Amino acid sequence: MPKPVGSPSGPIVAPSILSADFGRLHDQVQAAEQAGAGWIHVDVMDGHFVPNITIGPLVVRAVRRATQLPVDVHLMVSEPDSLVEAFVDAGADVVTVHSEACVHLQRTLRRIRDLGASVGVALNPHTPETVLSYVGRDIDLVLVMTVNPGFGGQAFLPSVVPKIRALRSWVDEAGLPIVIEVDGGIGPGTAALVARAGARVLVAGSAVFGQPDLRKAIEAIEREARVEAEVTS
Ligand code: DX5
Ligand code: ZN
């Protein structure tokens, strides 16, 4: 059985440490938790799948030690199969792989589930949600990229919003217990759009760690998302 994902209802803000000060990462993660973060999002980049290199399991272990919150690991790597175990061992609660990086996607998802973590699949902006049609039962979370992955602080791509809506319909109609997460350019101003479309977990890097007051930053996103989710429910 995978570990439970998140709280029973309401939006979850997942600050991405990509925009944190890595020189004081422990303090930054704790500050995010105290400021009301729901999950901590960790962006792993290999310089191959995306044109940037970030961190590995050692840093995930350090994040794990700093917080009680679910640690949400987003693997932007070309061949995740050989790496997932190290990230689960390091304390990842959710491990998300990119569909574009997995030739045998179902096998990779199965491996993550067998390791005891919650299973996520990320979709690049150009990837249709239909790639998941036959793996719905193997997934706990879909991460919809609203930028091309690789960097923080990029502009939100509104063209992806219909995909969030399509996923919401699929999940609801099929009765699948899948959480929809969005990542890239999320903050006040875009949180409403994605929440209205059906996203529940909102990753935010620069809109949280780039701000002087973390609590205000998280609350602003959460408030916007909650209002919109209530309007549509
Ligand atoms: C982008 C990463 C994101 C990034 C988001 O490749 O997956 O998680 O940190 O940063 P913002 O919120 O600044 O767009
Ligand atoms: Zn991410």
Side-chain angles (χ1 to χ4, degrees):
M1 277 290 288
K3 292 178 188 169
V5 176
S7 58
S9 63
I12 294 170
V13 178
S16 161
I17 63 163
L18 191 60
S19 296
D21 178 351
F22 274 71
R24 44 192 196 96
L25 187 59
H26 188 92
D27 293 351
Q28 294 261 277
V29 170
Q30 288 195 333
E33 179 168 358
Q34 280 156 20
W39 296 0
I40 300 294
H41 185 81
V42 181
D43 289 304
V44 177
M45 304 184 187
D46 67 351
H48 187 261
F49 181 71
V50 289
N52 195 5
I53 298 178
T54 56
I55 54 117
L58 273 176
V59 175
V60 170
R61 196 175 291 281
V63 171
R64 171 74 290 156
R65 289 203 191 105
T67 184
Q68 300 293 318
L69 295 176
V71 175
D72 176 32
V73 173
H74 176 191
L75 294 182
M76 286 160 275
V77 302
S78 286
E79 287 175 12
D81 292 53
S82 59
L83 293 170
V84 290
E85 187 166 4
F87 284 99
V88 175
D89 285 350
D93 295 289
V94 183
V95 175
T96 295
V97 294
H98 268 263
S99 71
E100 305 84 8
C102 299
V103 177
H104 308 291
L105 181 62
Q106 197 276 339
R107 177 185 288 158
T108 307
L109 303 179
R110 194 72 232 178
R111 181 165 296 167
I112 298 169
R113 182 161 284 172
D114 287 346
L115 288 165
S118 292
V119 183
V121 182
L123 304 178
N124 274 340
H126 74 278
T127 303
E129 71 287 356
T130 47
V131 297
L132 304 179
S133 296
Y134 299 98
V135 290
R137 301 269 162 211
D138 298 299
I139 301 172
D140 301 306
L141 174 143
V142 179
L143 174 53
V144 181
M145 292 306 301
T146 40
V147 298
N148 288 290
F151 305 95
Q154 301 182 83
F156 177 82
L157 296 171
S159 54
V160 180
V161 173
K163 179 158 55 179
I164 304 170
R165 258 187 242 119
L167 278 163
R168 180 83 266 156
S169 306
W170 174 58
V171 161
D172 289 348
E173 281 160 25
L176 293 164
I178 293 177
V179 171
I180 300 175
E181 180 177 34
V182 285
D183 186 3
I186 304 297
T190 54
L193 254 181
V194 294
R196 196 183 309 142
R200 162 113 187 284
V201 183
L202 286 75
V203 176
S206 42
V208 174
F209 285 112
Q211 306 304 311
D213 186 328
L214 296 193
R215 178 169 291 278
K216 276 193 187 149
I218 291 171
E219 278 174 3
I221 298 167
E222 209 175 47
R223 195 177 320 118
E224 208 179 274
R226 183 171 303 116
V227 169
E228 289 303 327
E230 276 165 10
V231 167
T232 50
S233 63

